[in-house]
């Protein structure tokens, strides 16, 4: 991934710019919501993390297909690099959702479709991280992890459509809708700025983590060779 | 400081939590990258190189 060095600084700069603009709009240039008041400002960190929690899993599912069909080692690297980030984004979505729920719904948590399926997503991420640690070096470990990743992908449409299929405390989709967002531009602006900021941050971290994972494999291979050469000398 | 209303503690808590986790993720990634780079450089300084790596042979 020698090309990655050309992406890292531009991605970092773009992400930092979007974060600076997003924070400024979120706190100094956007109104309080007519119903939720200032708690709407939690949405500017909640929605980007919720979006990434699902998008990262989508990327892992695509990588899993690449691993199973083409047996491409970069697909394994991509899956392994993305899993801890997906877990972190999902944890932040759950945490901010709980803090947003208390003043608006009167409760931190409710076992409704959206929240429960997102919690399941978090547990799937933790399970996949554990599997990578346990099975990575076994012959068919990455293939097995790819299969488990694809099975877990069933949960993504469940999260997306849970607010339509079941009666939930969580509001229905208000940004990604066929007929367009239902929010005013003054609230959409900081929301999109923060979504771009977190998405570019993920692209940056994924590039860095994939490069590091390739180096880790190179180190492991060199250490094995060094030991083998030492044994035969 | 901007006035955040009666639920300021929830807003500050959410943003603080996200800031901490995000910074933690960034620092962990950078530290891991630096560690692997250092290990690779240590091995190469001991003469352990990939077979495909260019060698500094005299011309």
């Amino acid at each position: 991934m020698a090309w990655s060095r050309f992406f890292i600084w531009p991605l970092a700069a773009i992400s930092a710019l979007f974060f600076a603009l997003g924070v400024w709009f979120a706190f100094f240039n956007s109104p309080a919501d007519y119903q939720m008041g200032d708690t709407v400002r939690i949405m500017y960190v909640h929605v980007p993390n919720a979006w990434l929690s699902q998008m990262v899993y989508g990327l892992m599912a695509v990588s899993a297909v690449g691993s199973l069909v083409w047996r491409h080692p970069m697909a394994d690297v991509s899956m392994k690099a993305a899993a801890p980030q997906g877990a972190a984004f999902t944890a932040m979505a759950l945490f901010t959702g709980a803090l947003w729920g208390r003043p608006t719904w009167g409760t931190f948590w409710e076992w409704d479709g959206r929240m429960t399926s997102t919690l399941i997503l978090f547990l799937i991420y933790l399970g996949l991280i554990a599997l990578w640690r346990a099975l990575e070096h076994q012959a068919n470990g990455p293939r097995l992890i790819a299969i488990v990743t694809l099975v877990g992908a069933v949960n993504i449409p469940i999260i997306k459509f849970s607010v339509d299929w079941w009666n939930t405390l969580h509001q229905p989709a208000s940004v990604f809708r066929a007929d367009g967002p239902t929010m005013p531009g003054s609230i959409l602006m900081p929301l999109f700025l923060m979504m771009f900021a977190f998405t570019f941050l993920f692209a940056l971290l994924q590039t860095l983590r994939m490069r590091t994972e390739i180096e880790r494999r190179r180190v492991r291979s060199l250490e094995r060779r060094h030991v083998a050469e030492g044994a035969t000398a | 400081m901007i006035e955040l209303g009666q639920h300021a503690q929830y807003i500050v808590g959410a943003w603080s939590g996200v800031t901490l986790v995000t910074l933690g993720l960034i620092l962990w990634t950078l530290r891991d990258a630096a560690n692997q780079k250092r290990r690779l450089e240590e091995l190469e300084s001991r003469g352990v190189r990939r077979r495909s790596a260019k060698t500094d042979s005299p011309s």
Side-chain angles (χ1 to χ4, degrees):
Chain A
M1 280 181 66
W3 50 267
S4 65
R5 66 177 180 272
F6 298 112
F7 287 84
I8 286 171
W9 288 109
L11 283 173
I14 293 168
S15 178
L17 179 67
F18 275 121
F19 269 116
L21 286 171
V23 170
W24 185 73
F25 269 93
F27 284 101
F28 302 105
N29 202 7
S30 62
D33 183 73
Y34 79 106
Q35 275 186 322
M36 293 184 282
D38 280 296
T39 59
V40 74
R41 298 181 207 285
I42 297 175
M43 179 178 71
Y44 305 137
V45 282
H46 173 72
V47 172
N49 281 294
W51 139 253
L52 275 175
S53 70
Q54 296 168 53
M55 194 276 272
V56 171
Y57 203 93
L59 175 77
M60 284 169 53
V62 170
S63 301
V65 172
S67 175
L68 287 170
V69 177
W70 294 285
R71 306 222 160 193
H72 200 294
M74 288 296 280
D76 297 340
V77 168
S78 170
M79 271 193 292
K80 189 184 173 193
Q85 297 180 85
F89 293 129
T90 312
M92 288 192 278
L94 288 167
F95 174 70
T96 54
L99 286 181
W100 196 11
R102 184 70 182 89
T104 51
W105 301 334
T107 181
F108 286 109
W109 184 261
E110 182 66 41
W111 292 99
D112 82 345
R114 174 60 66 88
M115 285 176 257
T116 307
S117 54
T118 305
L119 178 64
I120 290 170
L121 177 65
F122 179 62
L123 297 175
I124 290 172
Y125 274 125
L126 295 187
L128 288 171
I129 293 167
L131 277 180
W132 272 112
R133 285 181 178 265
L135 300 180
E136 184 182 3
H137 304 301
Q138 294 193 14
N140 283 323
R143 305 288 93 73
L144 181 67
I145 296 167
I147 291 168
V148 175
T149 302
L150 282 178
V151 172
V154 171
N155 192 40
I156 300 301
I158 294 175
I159 296 174
K160 169 70 182 159
F161 295 110
S162 57
V163 287
D164 302 321
W165 293 342
W166 299 297
N167 284 323
T168 64
L169 262 182
H170 199 284
Q171 67 186 59
S174 50
V175 180
F176 300 111
R177 293 163 51 101
D179 55 349
T182 57
M183 296 176 207
S186 55
I187 287 179
L188 273 178
M189 176 65 117
L191 180 60
F192 276 120
L193 285 169
M194 291 301 285
M195 286 178 75
F196 283 130
F198 274 101
T199 305
F200 278 105
L201 175 68
F202 166 68
L204 168 67
L205 293 178
Q206 179 71 357
T207 306
L208 278 170
R209 294 179 66 83
M210 284 180 70
R211 197 170 74 169
T212 303
E213 182 57 29
I214 291 166
E215 284 188 351
R216 193 187 331 276
R217 290 172 182 214
R218 193 173 293 161
V219 164
R220 212 178 290 137
S221 154
L222 286 176
E223 281 174 345
R224 269 202 301 265
R225 227 184 80 202
H226 186 54
V227 169
E229 283 171 358
T232 53
Chain B
M1 181 62 188
I2 186 175
E3 179 61 52
L4 292 176
Q6 59 175 328
H7 299 303
Q9 71 271 31
Y10 298 106
I11 302 165
V12 172
W15 277 77
S16 303
V18 166
T19 305
L20 276 177
V21 174
T22 305
L23 285 178
L25 194 59
I26 294 169
L27 289 176
W28 176 40
T29 301
L30 292 177
R31 195 177 161 193
D32 193 23
N35 277 343
Q36 294 312 317
K37 196 173 177 192
R38 183 179 47 75
R39 285 176 68 191
L40 201 56
E41 283 170 357
E42 275 174 15
L43 281 167
E44 287 180 349
S45 71
R46 280 156 45 193
V48 186
R49 288 171 188 275
R50 285 176 294 158
R51 289 194 182 92
S52 59
K54 287 177 187 168
T55 53
D56 299 326
S57 56
S59 55

